[in-house]
Amino acid sequence: MWRHAAWQEGQLPAAEALRVYAGSCNAVEGNTTFYATPSRRTVESWAAQTDPDFRFVVKLPKPITHERRLVEIDAELRAFLDAMAPLGPRVHAWWVQLPGSFGPNDLGALAGFLRRLPSSCRTAVEVRHPAFFEDRRVAEQLERVLGRGDAEWVTFDTTVLFDGLPGSAAEQEAWSKKPRVPRRTRALTEFPIVRYHGRDDPDRTVAGWEPWLDVVTTWLREGRSPTVFVHTPDNASSLPLARRFHDAVRERLPELEPLPEPIPTEPMTLF
């Protein structure tokens, strides 16, 4: 995502794009790892472009989560963790995004998977099966499994996206791909993760995140360290909107450190 054309002035080389992104935000979703495990050399480049406290939330590969559904994946998991090792402390959490068909009957597989992870791994699990949101007993079962693995439940808030019919092709595409689930604001660990999805209209996106300002401010006051990602249907405005969200939280909590000032992407001239 850090190479989105709308976030750059000109086409930056691969060795510079993440560095420039990290000059505006201090966390990123590692979504491409879902489709293919990068080479170790590529991951070394990511590490070289970011400070040690930069946060990568790295999605596990599709063969592990969707094809084998967390079962008999030891070899694939070891290979993936080895490839990502150069990131070191930059790995904020391993993001286990599960398919919508992964339901209550699969919790045993999730529990076994969490036990296999190294103790140094912080894990964040995103579920999409309706039962986890509609049946409180099932939700509690999931929370117990996550609790035993010291794992977080990732919130993907799409309530604003689905509040009214889509008004563009980008919104229609998002409707077809994103889960339609209720908003949940409960943190299980010190490190909650929120993925908020807005609309094409920035004003609607900003109005829709109002509940999260209170939630995130409360988490910070409790001593938690949340990570919040802001999405829109085409993500063109996500980067400035993420900075705007951070500034809005700082208005409520002035002691929160500001985000870095963006790095210029155009060479300086004399005139």
Side-chain angles (χ1 to χ4, degrees):
M1 270 321 295
W2 57 76
R3 299 200 68 185
H4 198 299
W7 304 346
Q8 304 174 13
E9 295 180 17
Q11 188 63 34
L12 291 171
E16 293 294 320
L18 177 55
R19 179 185 66 83
V20 171
Y21 173 90
S24 294
C25 288
N26 53 15
V28 72
E29 291 181 351
N31 186 60
T32 58
T33 51
F34 178 73
Y35 301 100
T37 298
S39 70
R40 194 178 178 94
R41 184 174 181 178
T42 294
V43 179
E44 288 171 350
S45 170
W46 298 350
Q49 295 179 66
T50 52
D51 293 333
D53 60 352
F54 185 83
R55 295 183 175 187
F56 284 85
V57 177
V58 183
K59 190 184 291 189
L60 266 63
K62 183 178 180 179
I64 293 175
T65 56
H66 286 56
E67 295 173 8
R68 300 202 177 183
R69 300 170 68 89
L70 307 183
V71 177
E72 297 181 357
I73 44 73
D74 289 353
E76 290 83 357
L77 181 62
R78 281 195 301 270
F80 178 71
L81 296 180
D82 181 66
M84 305 305 295
L87 289 180
R90 297 166 184 79
V91 177
H92 181 69
W94 301 113
W95 174 16
V96 185
Q97 186 185 82
L98 297 170
S101 60
F102 193 101
N105 293 335
D106 298 297
L107 286 178
L110 175 59
F113 171 79
L114 293 175
R115 287 194 297 268
R116 291 186 183 91
L117 289 174
S119 59
S120 59
C121 290
R122 183 181 299 134
T123 311
V125 178
E126 181 184 331
V127 294
R128 298 186 170 193
H129 194 287
F132 294 120
F133 302 90
E134 298 170 356
D135 189 325
R136 184 58 204 166
R137 291 174 300 175
V138 172
E140 290 173 350
Q141 291 171 6
L142 173 59
E143 289 185 357
R144 284 195 294 271
V145 169
L146 295 175
R148 287 193 291 268
D150 196 25
E152 186 55 77
W153 182 342
V154 177
T155 290
F156 191 14
D157 182 4
T158 59
T159 54
V160 174
L161 172 64
F162 289 103
D163 182 17
L165 294 175
S168 69
E171 288 188 349
Q172 182 63 58
E173 183 179 6
W175 261 51
S176 69
K177 293 181 177 180
K178 308 305 180 185
R180 188 169 188 164
V181 294
R183 177 189 294 130
R184 55 175 302 280
T185 58
R186 175 173 161 80
L188 303 184
T189 70
E190 181 184 347
F191 301 101
I193 295 175
V194 176
R195 308 179 65 228
Y196 168 77
H197 203 301
R199 302 290 294 256
D200 287 337
D201 182 353
D203 291 337
R204 292 191 66 184
T205 299
V206 170
W209 75 34
E210 279 295 319
W212 284 112
L213 296 179
D214 288 335
V215 172
V216 170
T217 301
T218 298
W219 284 343
L220 290 164
R221 286 176 174 153
E222 292 173 347
R224 302 182 196 267
S225 183
T227 305
V228 179
F229 297 107
V230 177
H231 288 262
T232 61
D234 65 5
N235 281 319
S237 59
S238 290
L239 188 58
L241 283 170
R243 293 181 60 84
R244 186 171 172 181
F245 180 90
H246 187 92
D247 289 343
V249 175
R250 287 193 71 228
E251 290 178 2
R252 298 169 182 236
L253 199 67
E255 60 267 34
L256 179 65
E257 291 187 10
L259 290 172
E261 287 302 313
I263 299 172
T265 57
E266 291 292 325
M268 295 183 65
T269 64
L270 295 176
F271 304 99

